[in-house]
Amino acid sequence: MDIAIIGASGYAGGDLIRLLLGHSRARVSCVTSRKLAGKPVESIHPQFKGLLDLEFSNPSPKDLEADVAFLAVPHTAAMAYARPLLSRGIKVIDLSADYRLPKEIFEKVYGVPHTDYFTAPYGIPELRRDSYRDADFVSNPGCFPTGATLAAAPLARYAHTVIYDSKTGVSGAGDNPSATTHYPNVGDNVNPYKWTSHRHLAEMKQELVSLGSHAKCYFTPHLVPVNRGILTTAHILLKEPIGQEEVELLYRNYYEGEFFVRLQNPVLAAVRGTNFCDIRVESEGDRVVAVSAIDNLGKGASGQAIQNMNIICGFDERDGLTGAGLLP
Ligand SMILES: NC(=O)c1ccc[n+]([C@@H]2O[C@H](COP(=O)([O-])OP(=O)(O)OC[C@H]3O[C@@H](n4cnc5c(N)ncnc54)[C@H](OP(=O)(O)O)[C@@H]3O)[C@@H](O)[C@H]2O)c1
């Protein structure tokens, strides 16, 4: 399969290249960047020198040749690519937020008009892979909602309130520098941000509803001085108490056979560079604390995007995604 990565000079695009180099059925044949068109991939991603002999280009969607395209571009940019690529028979995985929410909610949350809306499957494979195996387009979930939803999903229907408290690495903000991500502001520090108003809250709420939950949902993220990773503490307040053995059994059964969800103590470095989500639960009766760890660029973005490509292309879901975490 020939793969095009739109937005390949960014962090998610770079991780798509890294993971696809280890995929048995995929060949990265087109990498786009407007600013770096004509420059070799290693001009921004030195880690690929000698591994991928390609130059960035900036083709219009109607000239782009590929079997599968990943859209690793900011929200609002993906909507210019999605339909033109689909209409030429190219399967598309969109890593942006453009197709994750209903149109009116997207426009409210992101404060911009949606210029080319269609409904698309929201691709957390562990929750609904069978509903989109035949799809040509998958909307890849946000990084925070992926880790948070996987932490709470088994208990979602039994909860009246779910509070997500997340710590994220700095690569979640993309490669565009800002005061927030400037080293002296991030290093040796922890910063809460968007305490009650992060855009990903809408996806988290949507996912609880789709799991049959009527729970209230709250979310506060914190920026911590690591490059990659999201650790989410989900406080799940239950309608009826549940014991420790029972809750562990519930999670074991729910995620039985799921290669990428591992029920073990969540440690950021153990999932770094991978598509794994590590989860542990502890009950104190009517409150269960479920903590998950993912790599924001792995299960939170590019890893899950490749998992979704594998699903809609009929490949082994694990292809390209079996590397272990970079610990230490
Ligand atoms: N970083 C994460 O942890 C993470 C997690 C989940 C989802 N995502 C989503 O994945 C997407 C990419 O994120 P990122 O962190 O990789 O961002 P990034 O590092 O800022 O990279 C963005 C890429 O898109 C290209 N680009 C920007 N504007 C464009 C436009 N209008 N048309 C075409 N290409 C454009 C950029 O290259 P040029 O400017 O040179 O064209 C660059 O290659 C975003 O939608 C983000 O929300 C990111």
Side-chain angles (χ1 to χ4, degrees):
M1 304 282 276
D2 278 320
I3 309 291
I5 301 172
I6 317 301
S9 62
Y11 285 160
D15 234 34
L16 282 166
I17 297 174
R18 180 179 68 85
L19 292 167
L20 288 168
L21 285 172
H23 196 285
S24 72
R25 311 283 296 270
R27 177 179 57 193
V28 178
S29 56
C30 170
V31 287
T32 85
S33 162
R34 297 162 310 165
K35 296 189 202 97
L36 297 176
K39 301 243 169 61
V41 162
E42 63 264 26
S43 60
I44 184 97
H45 297 309
Q47 68 271 37
F48 302 131
K49 174 91 174 162
L51 296 173
L52 184 68
D53 188 16
L54 261 186
E55 283 182 359
F56 290 108
S57 59
N58 184 23
S60 98
K62 66 177 174 38
D63 298 326
L64 209 138
E65 301 288 342
D67 299 301
V68 177
F70 291 93
L71 308 181
V73 295
H75 68 274
T76 69
M79 51 182 97
Y81 287 89
R83 211 187 296 262
L85 295 178
L86 284 170
S87 69
R88 299 184 43 243
I90 300 172
K91 291 180 192 282
V92 178
I93 315 286
D94 177 20
L95 283 76
S96 85
D98 284 358
Y99 296 91
R100 294 181 195 153
L101 298 165
K103 182 174 189 284
E104 61 284 7
I105 298 182
F106 172 87
E107 292 182 339
K108 188 168 168 217
V109 170
Y110 287 85
V112 287
H114 201 304
T115 54
D116 196 9
Y117 187 76
F118 54 86
T119 54
Y122 182 85
I124 298 188
E126 289 74 12
L127 303 184
R128 63 179 68 85
R129 61 168 69 75
D130 287 337
S131 70
Y132 62 85
R133 281 189 195 284
D134 297 330
D136 290 329
F137 182 98
V138 180
S139 175
N140 213 55
C143 48
F144 286 119
T146 294
T149 302
L150 288 173
L155 282 168
R157 282 190 297 130
Y158 311 110
H160 63 76
T161 305
V162 179
I163 302 166
Y164 297 122
D165 176 307
S166 297
K167 287 95 193 163
T168 180
V170 187
S171 62
D175 75 347
N176 209 1
S178 71
T180 312
T181 59
H182 191 45
Y183 184 79
N185 297 333
V186 177
D188 201 18
N189 205 355
V190 178
N191 289 296
Y193 65 104
K194 304 210 171 118
W195 294 21
T196 59
S197 61
H198 194 284
R199 288 162 166 174
H200 283 177
L201 181 57
E203 279 176 60
M204 292 167 174
K205 288 181 174 172
Q206 174 175 273
E207 278 309 274
L208 284 175
V209 170
S210 77
L211 289 164
S213 175
H214 302 292
K216 289 191 209 158
C217 180
Y218 304 96
F219 169 51
T220 302
H222 304 75
L223 190 64
V224 295
V226 298
N227 283 337
R228 288 166 175 259
I230 295 178
L231 193 107
T232 295
T233 305
H235 301 268
I236 305 164
L237 310 185
L238 300 170
K239 296 175 214 164
E240 305 282 344
I242 189 169
Q244 182 64 22
E245 276 183 27
E246 205 186 336
V247 77
E248 283 182 17
L249 183 64
L250 180 75
Y251 274 67
R252 269 204 304 280
N253 288 341
Y254 196 91
Y255 287 122
E256 192 182 356
E258 290 298 346
F259 180 76
F260 292 115
V261 176
R262 305 185 299 194
L263 299 180
Q264 65 169 345
N265 203 40
V267 177
L268 275 194
V271 297
R272 190 187 295 147
T274 79
N275 193 48
F276 289 109
C277 175
D278 287 357
I279 302 175
R280 194 171 88 78
V281 277
E282 205 169 292
S283 172
E284 60 167 13
D286 57 3
R287 179 181 74 126
V288 168
V289 181
V291 183
S292 69
I294 61 168
D295 185 327
N296 54 291
L297 290 169
K299 186 66 174 160
S302 308
Q304 187 149 259
I306 292 169
Q307 190 182 355
N308 279 324
M309 173 191 79
N310 288 340
I311 289 168
I312 66 172
C313 291
F315 300 155
D316 179 340
E317 218 173 286
R318 296 170 300 178
D319 203 342
L321 299 171
T322 52
L326 292 173
L327 193 163

